[in-house]
């Protein structure tokens, strides 16, 4: 049984059906990439997994460690081990990163409060690893951040919260090559037997830094094709039209 | 800014809503010249003080309760109020009524010897009288006078005579006139030339007795090159009738003086249906009389059924500076109409206004402010930021900024925003493992940060904690 199981997931916002039967399984220790053309439902899938209130699940289930999370609030899902790297993280003006991080780390601590010393040390080390300046910790959360700073901030959180399943929603979009490398560095550091990763992306570029074991292609709200690393190359050469042809042939 | 953790044990109901059963000396309800004479006599006041009060009373009788703020309130029967109530027992600190001491313990006010080292000198006003001031000797050595206004009238009549009513004249407005006639106690501070007051001067106002009006009168004078920081806090028992707190606070800043005045106002706000609560009708004004003087108001308003106040600065001295930083939180049926007036008179004067209004429930939260630049006040500068945050759909927030400039060289900038806590912000924080309440509370505290960081450190912690308690139950 996989750690994260997405079974025949149907979801809609208002009357618009976006996910039309997604099946996907991710285990700890695995890195999966999910690609698809614009409008295929990639970002919706990540929002639905995290429990965004704008989406309604009409059919299917999401299981984490064998248990359905559909009835859980986003905060409960987070504490159960899910993490979402947002494509567009919102700003929370006036809330310092250190205060926010402490609260979020406290929420995960068995006693409800993480000792300040080790917390600060770990945060400092992780920030250094991501080439973030120390003064960053005093800034307002995502307040006036550049695109690259926002994404580093997301990776920093992933490193601090240590999720079992992390979904990266187009973390690479809008990043220059330096920022992309830093993001990849953080992700690769996190890789290991305790983390299952789902990297959602529009471009193959990031996949050359993060070598996924599996690639899935999402089209029109369904996973239409899955394969190993070789599929990345094929997709790069032949494009989504080829996928469409293949799918219509098998259909 | 200190950042506070939510303490889940904090109760959300008003925890200062208890009543202390002590013997009191209360005069019968009603307001007339005889009552004023009794108040004056009880305080052993000199004749000039009584005459001053009576003059104010006669003026007040000709005035009308103003209605321009469009507050929703029943007519106040000024004959149905006790104008004086005081604990009967001796008010000497060492022989303080044990019930009263217990009260202060519950309110968390340091009155005993053991707290003498904390960096705050405290005056406490219980209903109509001051019941004790701490740190007196240390302050006396520096020449600082910090005592109740009643004591100042007797001990330092020359200073009181020189300054009382010079910033807020008795006829200034309806409630200022009423206060001038019947004020019972409050604090008096005088910081002599060149002295920087080493501790926070603080007054705690407690309304205890029922149907009693509290008429606080505070006068702060900061002489040339002197500096002080003053803080007041307030609470009252939970009752289903309304009570009136009509204060007048006057600040005088002489040449190069620097006064910081902070308020954490937590009067009982009434219940969910809007029954009971304190009417907080206050006139607070500072006068920057000397060159390069500075007066800074910081207020955190989280209580009272109706709040009506505009701490203001008259910037007369050349190069003087006025500041107003405010967080006003309203919930249930509370009404707040608060803001400031910055009157630029001297040359090169500047003022800053940062107002953060948070409304929840069915409350109404208004910012009303005036920036006025008089003719000849060349190079006046003002920067105003007025932000409102709405929690829920039944509350309201309004901003009424008035700007009047009679001098072309003025630089005036005004920014205003109204927002709600966005779904995206809540989802983001919740996806990080924070509960809905913690997430909302974090957004609100972030919203208020620019004001909280202006409070003295330890009070900033208190204010954040207080706001957290008030937010509980108003979200979701």
């Amino acid at each position: 049984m996989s750690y994260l199981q997405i079974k025949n997931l149907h979801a809609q916002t208002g009357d618009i059906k976006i996910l039309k039967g997604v099946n996907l399984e991710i285990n700890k220790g695995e890195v999966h990439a999910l690609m698809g053309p614009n409008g295929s439902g990639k970002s919706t899938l990540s929002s639905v997994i995290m429990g965004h209130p704008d989406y309604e699940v009409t059919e299917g289930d999401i299981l984490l460690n064998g248990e359905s999370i559909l009835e859980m609030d986003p905060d409960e899902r987070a504490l159960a081990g899910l993490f979402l790297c947002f494509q567009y993280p919102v700003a929370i003006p006036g809330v310092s990163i250190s205060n926010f991080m402490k609260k979020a780390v406290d929420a995960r601590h068995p006693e409800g409060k993480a000792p300040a010393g080790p917390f600060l040390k770990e945060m400092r080390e992780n920030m250094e690893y991501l080439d973030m300046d120390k003064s960053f910790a005093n800034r307002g959360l995502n307040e006036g951040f550049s695109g690259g700073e926002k994404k580093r901030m997301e990776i920093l959180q992933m490193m601090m919260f240590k999720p079992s399943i992390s979904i990266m929603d187009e973390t690479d979009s809008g990043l220059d090559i330096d920022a992309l490398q830093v993001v990849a560095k953080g992700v690769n550091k996190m890789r290991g037997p305790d983390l299952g990763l789902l990297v959602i992306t529009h471009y193959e570029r990031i996949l050359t830094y993060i070598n996924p074991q599996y690639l899935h292609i999402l089209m029109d709200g369904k996973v239409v094709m899955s394969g190993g690393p070789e599929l990345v190359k094929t997709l790069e050469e032949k494009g989504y039209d080829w996928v469409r042809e293949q799918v219509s042939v098998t259909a | 800014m200190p950042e506070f953790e939510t303490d889940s044990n904090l109760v959300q109901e008003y925890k200062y809503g208890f009543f202390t059963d002590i013997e009191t000396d209360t005069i019968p309800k009603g307001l007339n010249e005889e009552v004023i004479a009794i108040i004056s006599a009880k305080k052993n006041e000199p004749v000039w003080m009584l005459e001053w009060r009576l003059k104010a009373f006669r003026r007040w009788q000709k005035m009308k309760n103003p209605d321009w703020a469009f507050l929703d309130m029943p007519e106040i029967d000024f004959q149905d109020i006790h104008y004086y109530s005081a604990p009967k027992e001796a008010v000497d600190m060492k022989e303080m009524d044990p019930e009263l001491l217990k009260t202060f313990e519950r309110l968390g006010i340091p009155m005993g010897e053991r707290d003498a080292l904390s960096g705050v000198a405290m005056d406490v006003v219980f209903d109509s009288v001051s019941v004790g001031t701490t740190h007196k000797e240390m302050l006396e050595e520096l020449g600082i006078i910090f005592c109740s206004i009643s004591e100042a009238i007797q001990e330092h009549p020359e200073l009181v005579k020189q300054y009382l009513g010079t910033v807020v004249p008795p006829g200034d407005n309806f409630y200022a006139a009423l206060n001038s006639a019947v004020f019972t106690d409050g604090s008096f501070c005088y910081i002599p030339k060149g002295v920087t007051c080493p501790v926070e001067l603080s007054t705690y106002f407690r309304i205890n007795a029922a149907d009693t009006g509290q008429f606080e009168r505070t006068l702060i004078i900061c002489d040339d090159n002197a500096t002080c920081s003053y803080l007041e806090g307030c609470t009252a028992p939970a009752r289903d009738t309304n009570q009136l707190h009509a204060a007048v606070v006057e600040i005088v800043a002489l040449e190069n003086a620097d006064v910081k005045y902070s308020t954490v106002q937590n009067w009982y706000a009434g219940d969910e249906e809007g029954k009971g609560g304190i009417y907080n009708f206050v006139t607070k004004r500072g006068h920057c009389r000397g060159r390069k003087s500075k007066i800074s108001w910081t207020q955190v308003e989280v209580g009272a059924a109706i709040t009506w106040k505009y701490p203001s600065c008259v910037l007369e001295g050349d190069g003087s500076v006025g500041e107003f930083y405010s967080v006003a939180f309203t919930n249930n049926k509370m009404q707040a109409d608060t803001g400031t007036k910055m009157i630029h008179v001297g040359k090169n004067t500047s003022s800053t206004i940062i107002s953060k209004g948070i409304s929840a429930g069915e409350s109404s939260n208004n910012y009303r402010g005036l920036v006025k630049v008089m003719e000849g006040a060349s190079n006046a500068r003002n920067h105003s930021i007025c932000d409102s945050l709405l929690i829920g759909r039944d509350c309201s927030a309004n901003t009424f900024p008035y700007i009047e400039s009679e001098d072309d060289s003025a630089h005036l900038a005004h920014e205003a925003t109204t927002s709600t806590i966005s779904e995206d912000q809540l989802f983001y924080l919740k996806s990080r493992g924070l509960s809905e309440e913690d997430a909302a509370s974090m957004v609100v505290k972030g919203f208020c940060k620019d004001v909280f960081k202006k409070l003295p450190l330890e009070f900033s912690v208190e204010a954040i904690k207080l706001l957290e308690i008030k937010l509980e139950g108003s979200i979701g």
Side-chain angles (χ1 to χ4, degrees), chain B residues 87-344:
Chain B
K88 224 171 202 167
E89 289 297 304
V91 292
D92 186 309
M93 292 268 301
K94 294 199 176 64
E95 308 163 23
M96 203 184 270
D97 184 315
E99 276 297 309
L100 207 52
L101 270 178
K102 252 190 258 167
T103 300
F104 294 132
E105 200 97 332
R106 286 179 73 181
L107 295 168
I109 304 169
M111 290 297 290
E113 300 274 326
R114 70 193 158 86
D115 296 307
L117 288 176
S118 71
V120 181
M122 201 93 195
D123 183 22
V124 175
V125 177
F126 199 78
D127 291 330
S128 306
V129 293
S130 163
V131 292
T133 309
T134 65
H135 284 65
K136 243 179 172 168
E137 285 163 22
M138 187 265 274
L139 295 171
E140 267 167 20
E141 275 173 32
L142 292 163
I144 294 171
I145 303 166
F146 179 48
C147 61
S148 70
I149 191 109
S150 308
E151 193 181 328
I153 289 165
Q154 293 180 39
E155 305 289 325
H156 309 281
E158 69 298 337
L159 281 171
V160 176
K161 244 181 173 168
Q162 190 182 345
Y163 291 104
L164 187 74
T166 61
V167 184
V168 179
D172 188 82
N173 65 66
F174 184 80
Y175 288 98
L178 177 64
N179 175 288
S180 301
V182 301
F183 75 84
T184 39
D185 227 329
S187 289
F188 177 84
C189 316
Y190 173 78
I191 319 293
K193 284 184 176 136
V195 171
T196 296
C197 183
V199 290
E200 300 284 339
L201 299 177
S202 179
T203 304
Y204 194 91
F205 292 92
R206 172 74 178 169
I207 294 178
N208 189 58
D211 300 326
T212 305
Q214 190 180 55
F215 301 90
E216 165 206 353
R217 185 93 196 187
T218 287
L219 177 59
I220 300 170
I221 303 140
C222 219
D223 214 324
D224 297 351
N225 300 307
T227 301
C228 80
S229 173
Y230 175 93
L231 183 124
E232 66 161 23
C234 355
T235 59
R239 287 207 179 85
D240 59 6
T241 50
N242 295 106
Q243 278 179 282
L244 182 61
H245 172 87
V248 171
V249 174
E250 297 177 281
I251 300 176
V252 178
L254 300 178
E255 193 165 320
N256 209 26
D258 188 334
V259 184
K260 186 178 171 70
Y261 184 105
S262 315
T263 308
V264 176
Q265 184 267 101
N266 186 22
W267 293 121
Y268 178 59
D271 66 9
E272 277 172 36
E273 305 302 317
K275 212 165 164 34
I278 302 291
Y279 292 158
N280 187 37
F281 300 161
V282 174
T283 307
K284 290 184 173 181
R285 195 174 302 154
H287 190 177
C288 285
R289 249 170 236 190
R291 277 179 61 247
K292 296 197 165 174
S293 55
K294 177 178 171 187
I295 293 175
S296 180
W297 299 97
T298 305
Q299 61 173 20
V300 176
E301 302 281 316
V302 298
I306 304 176
T307 294
W308 194 0
K309 72 166 185 178
Y310 315 92
S312 305
C313 297
V314 178
L315 304 170
E316 190 182 338
D318 288 349
S320 59
V321 175
E323 295 174 340
F324 174 74
Y325 304 108
S326 169
V327 164
F329 172 79
T330 54
N331 194 8
N332 299 326
K333 305 227 167 166
M334 288 163 69
Q335 303 171 67
D337 198 285
T338 184
T340 183
K341 286 187 275 186
M342 293 290 174
I343 316 291
H344 294 257

Side-chain angles (χ1 to χ4, degrees), chain A residues 75 84 99 108 154 157, chain B residues 3 425 428 430 432 449:
Chain A
D75 49 321
L84 172 61
N99 179 38
R108 287 164 174 79
E154 296 293 294
Q157 293 178 53
Chain B
E3 322 240 21
Q425 286 176 322
Y428 186 80
K430 284 168 77 179
R432 270 48 184 151
K449 185 181 185 176

